[in-house]
Amino acid sequence: MAESLKDQLTDILINGKLITKRDLDKALDIQKKSGGSLGRILVEQGYISEEALMLVMSRQLNMPPINLSKYKVDKKLTELIPEKIAKHYNLIPISSIGNVLTVAMADPFNIFAIDDIKMLTKYKIDPVIATENDIKGAINTYYGTHGEEVSKILEGVTLSDIEVVEEEEHIDVSEITQESQQAPIVTMVSLILNEAMQKRASDIHIEPCERSLRVRYRIDGNLHDVLTLPKKNQNAVLVRLKIMSKLDITETRLPQDGRFKINFQGKEIDFRVSALPIAFGGKIVLRVLDKSSLNIGLEQLGFLPGPLSAFKTALARPYGMILVTGPTGSGKSTTLYSVITQLNSPELNIVTLEEPVEYELEGITQIQAKPEIGLTFANGLKSVLRQSPDIIMVGEIRDFETADIAIKASLTGQLLLSTLHTNDAAGAITRLVDMGVEPFLVASRKNVLDRVGLNLDEIGKKGKKGFYKGKGCQHCNETGYYGRLGILEALLIDDQIREMIVKKVSSDEIKAYGLKHGMKTLRENALENFVNGVTSLEEVLRVTSED
């Protein structure tokens, strides 16, 4: 039966000119040597798309296709088929009526899979067709940690269940088990970390509420509720995290900062931890710091060619200053770390002055600023300059003294990178002048000031092609967005702008001049990405302000 159906399918693929006889023979040869589904081989070799193959099989087998990205699976059904079996056969149960279980399959020709799940579940199996990628996404979504499982794990947990993390302890959450000898609270915290990594979270918020403990993940810049834990387990979870972060578990009145590391899927992940006393207990926020993300290069951050070229021009100069501006979470640190990671080489002495040190980078001298003992950015920068640095990164320019030292350093042979809180590139110039820096010193800057930010207002005019809006699916947690894209506003200072700065011309006039000479605003950059089909109009309005 299965063979005759497969033969009919191959005839349809060839007669319908969906694949060539030569491609089919190659795929069959691969199947003979390595086994596996013929359909999967055809897709992997690029001979046919998943969607086209699904429609052909649907017509041939008189079997309905289904788009799992638009389908909500009942999580209770996942208890019928273990995750291991679902992944092995690439299938997922999607509904049941009476003794009939409807199962989405990428390979409905696999009669062994149908027989196995029929015996396993004691249901009559009604297969429907879905693409392999959709099924994999659904498995990752619906075979996860659920609130019911969490409640079971936490039953009877007390503070005595917490295990102290020793200095040399190696924490690994790549494979989470619920073995009886593992303390439930340790398992719970590991599950939270594991799920956060799986979902690409940049922050984890553990927030005590009046009657519960709330867990949220920040994914692609937005917070999402993921878990609500019983109030009785609040102290146990918070203390476990404090112990991992080497914080004082007896201190509940003052803010604390710490950090710890884990290994996840072969990568070392740092967590920066902030504990803050609030009304219903101590809130803990964990910032996820993945060093592998710093090696992707500026091109992969999503900047458009025009402002990226200006940015690279500034970086290529032997000395000068680059300021990255924008609100919290806009990507300032990621951008600067990506830059110094690429610039890092044995020939250069690179020194950073940060508060706190977010990423620990080999080959780079990193200094933790400690204002409480007098090690401010300004004092630290003075000491750094005595170390003959080639490149300096200062976490933030907050005051006149730091700004003055930084600018003078950049004029005398160092390339200096830092951040500044302004709303756009041109505004950074007047911000420095407002701090008290002499205009002639700012005018001597050789460089670019860029802003990558999130803000809100109205759209300008742009082309009439390729408009898209994300509908949402299980891959993106139903948000319509997956990943973040940088937008860049770059202003290169020429002789005319230097003269305007010395004359204390307003930032609006400087910006107007820049726009006349090729500078693109954040809104224009974002709109270009919208026209290119990379993002939606709503997202452009959300993250940029009116020019």
Side-chain angles (χ1 to χ4, degrees):
M1 179 70 172
E3 277 302 314
S4 62
L5 284 173
K6 188 163 74 172
D7 290 341
Q8 291 176 40
L9 176 63
T10 56
D11 288 341
I12 290 174
L13 290 172
I14 293 174
N15 294 336
K17 297 183 179 179
L18 294 170
I19 63 172
T20 65
K21 180 66 165 60
R22 182 180 178 185
D23 291 342
L24 176 62
D25 290 341
K26 288 181 180 178
L28 289 170
D29 186 51
I30 293 172
Q31 188 184 41
K32 287 178 183 178
K33 292 178 180 177
S34 57
S37 160
L38 177 62
R40 183 181 301 176
I41 294 169
L42 290 170
V43 172
E44 287 176 349
Q45 296 298 314
Y47 299 148
I48 190 171
S49 70
E50 274 195 306
E51 291 75 15
L53 180 63
M54 179 178 68
L55 292 175
V56 168
M57 289 194 294
S58 173
R59 288 195 298 266
Q60 178 60 26
L61 299 174
N62 194 26
M63 188 181 291
I66 186 170
N67 185 346
L68 281 177
S69 64
K70 299 179 180 178
Y71 196 93
K72 188 171 183 178
V73 175
D74 184 351
K75 291 184 179 181
K76 291 182 179 178
L77 294 177
T78 59
E79 297 174 5
L80 297 173
I81 301 176
E83 182 177 4
K84 186 176 180 180
I85 299 296
K87 287 183 174 180
H88 177 71
Y89 287 128
N90 204 40
L91 51 81
I92 188 169
I94 60 172
S95 69
S96 66
I97 301 177
N99 69 333
V100 177
L101 182 66
T102 302
V103 178
M105 305 179 66
D107 183 13
F109 290 113
N110 192 337
I111 57 174
F112 299 107
I114 295 174
D115 287 345
D116 281 356
I117 59 176
K118 183 177 180 181
M119 292 179 63
L120 176 71
T121 63
K122 310 303 180 186
Y123 278 79
K124 180 181 177 182
I125 305 303
D126 181 23
V128 295
I129 301 174
T131 66
E132 184 172 344
N133 282 335
D134 274 359
I135 292 174
K136 285 181 178 178
I139 289 172
N140 288 336
T141 298
Y142 296 107
Y143 283 92
T145 303
H146 310 314
E148 296 83 359
E149 296 174 27
V150 169
S151 296
K152 291 177 183 177
I153 293 170
L154 290 176
E155 285 179 2
V157 172
T158 66
L159 284 177
S160 62
D161 290 314
I162 298 173
E163 297 177 357
V164 176
V165 181
E166 301 296 341
E167 184 69 30
E168 69 275 8
E169 180 177 356
H170 180 74
I171 305 166
D172 192 331
V173 298
S174 296
E175 296 181 5
I176 300 301
T177 63
Q178 298 178 20
E179 297 175 354
S180 59
Q181 70 269 21
Q182 192 172 19
I185 197 63
V186 175
T187 302
M188 185 65 259
V189 172
S190 293
L191 281 167
I192 292 172
L193 299 178
N194 183 65
E195 289 286 294
M197 295 298 93
Q198 296 283 5
K199 294 180 181 295
R200 305 174 296 106
S202 60
D203 301 271
I204 305 170
H205 291 239
I206 316 290
E207 304 167 277
C209 302
E210 186 175 6
R211 295 183 177 88
S212 63
L213 184 66
R214 181 189 194 190
V215 180
R216 292 192 291 172
Y217 297 155
R218 187 179 297 280
I219 303 170
D220 297 336
N222 297 315
L223 281 170
H224 301 271
D225 274 310
V226 292
L227 215 54
T228 299
L229 305 179
K231 185 70 173 179
K232 67 178 182 179
N233 304 124
Q234 173 177 304
N235 287 343
V237 171
L238 297 180
V239 169
R240 169 64 181 172
L241 287 167
K242 280 190 172 184
I243 290 172
M244 292 172 67
S245 310
K246 300 177 179 58
L247 300 179
D248 182 358
I249 63 173
T250 64
E251 179 57 75
T252 58
R253 298 170 300 170
L254 298 174
Q256 296 185 79
D257 294 300
R259 63 193 309 148
F260 64 89
K261 296 180 181 180
I262 66 169
N263 281 332
F264 178 76
Q265 295 182 349
K267 295 191 297 183
E268 189 177 86
I269 309 293
D270 286 312
F271 287 85
R272 195 180 78 207
V273 182
S274 172
L276 186 69
I278 62 173
F280 300 112
K283 176 178 178 178
I284 290 183
V285 175
L286 298 90
R287 178 82 181 271
V288 183
L289 304 170
D290 180 3
K291 283 192 282 190
S292 65
S293 66
L294 304 180
N295 297 315
I296 61 174
L298 291 173
E299 292 82 358
Q300 281 67 50
L301 290 178
F303 299 142
L304 291 169
L308 178 60
S309 176
F311 199 8
K312 286 186 171 181
T313 297
L315 285 171
R317 291 168 173 167
Y319 62 93
M321 178 186 285
I322 295 176
L323 297 178
V324 179
T325 75
T328 301
S330 62
K332 300 188 298 295
S333 295
T334 300
T335 301
L336 285 185
Y337 272 110
S338 296
V339 168
I340 64 172
T341 299
Q342 290 186 62
L343 294 176
N344 190 13
S345 70
E347 295 78 26
L348 294 174
N349 179 18
I350 302 177
V351 183
T352 73
L353 185 59
E354 309 166 61
E355 186 191 0
V357 173
E358 292 194 355
Y359 296 91
E360 295 176 357
L361 304 176
E362 188 174 351
I364 292 176
T365 301
Q366 295 176 272
I367 302 169
Q368 171 86 43
K370 296 180 179 179
E372 66 274 12
I373 63 171
L375 183 53
T376 62
F377 281 134
N379 291 336
L381 189 52
K382 290 177 184 176
S383 299
V384 166
L385 290 172
R386 300 189 190 105
Q387 296 277 318
S388 185
D390 298 296
I391 299 172
I392 305 169
M393 187 183 89
V394 179
E396 183 184 350
I397 294 179
R398 301 174 180 173
D399 51 45
F400 163 72
E401 189 177 8
T402 306
D404 187 56
I405 299 169
I407 286 180
K408 290 174 180 176
S410 67
L411 289 171
T412 56
Q414 283 82 33
L415 176 62
L416 193 136
L417 314 173
S418 190
T419 66
L420 195 66
H421 281 286
T422 65
N423 291 327
D424 55 26
I429 296 171
T430 52
R431 174 77 179 119
L432 289 173
V433 174
D434 289 344
M435 282 183 178
V437 178
E438 290 294 338
F440 76 89
L441 288 176
V442 181
S444 300
R445 297 300 336 107
K446 308 185 63 174
N447 208 314
V448 104
L449 301 103
D450 81 274
R451 178 192 189 260
V452 179
L454 300 166
N455 231 312
L456 155 77
D457 221 304
E458 152 185 43
I459 193 170
K461 296 178 182 177
K462 207 69 179 172
K464 298 280 182 180
K465 58 179 181 178
F467 302 112
Y468 295 88
K469 178 180 179 180
K471 292 183 178 179
C473 63
Q474 74 265 18
H475 302 299
C476 63
N477 294 315
E478 306 298 332
T479 63
Y481 302 96
Y482 190 92
R484 287 196 285 177
L485 184 72
I487 51 176
L488 188 69
E489 179 178 302
L491 178 68
L492 274 175
I493 298 177
D494 60 15
D495 291 339
Q496 181 64 36
I497 294 179
R498 289 189 181 92
E499 186 176 339
M500 295 168 77
I501 295 169
V502 171
K503 292 180 179 179
K504 295 189 178 182
V505 170
S506 70
S507 63
D508 288 340
E509 292 181 67
I510 294 172
K511 186 172 185 176
Y513 173 85
L515 292 174
K516 286 182 181 179
H517 292 79
M519 186 183 87
K520 297 290 184 181
T521 65
L522 291 176
R523 162 105 357 134
E524 289 171 327
N525 272 255
L527 282 172
E528 190 169 337
N529 280 302
F530 161 61
V531 172
N532 292 337
V534 177
T535 191
S536 69
L537 181 59
E538 290 84 353
E539 187 69 358
V540 171
L541 293 175
R542 185 178 75 84
V543 303
T544 64
S545 58
E546 188 175 9
D547 301 325

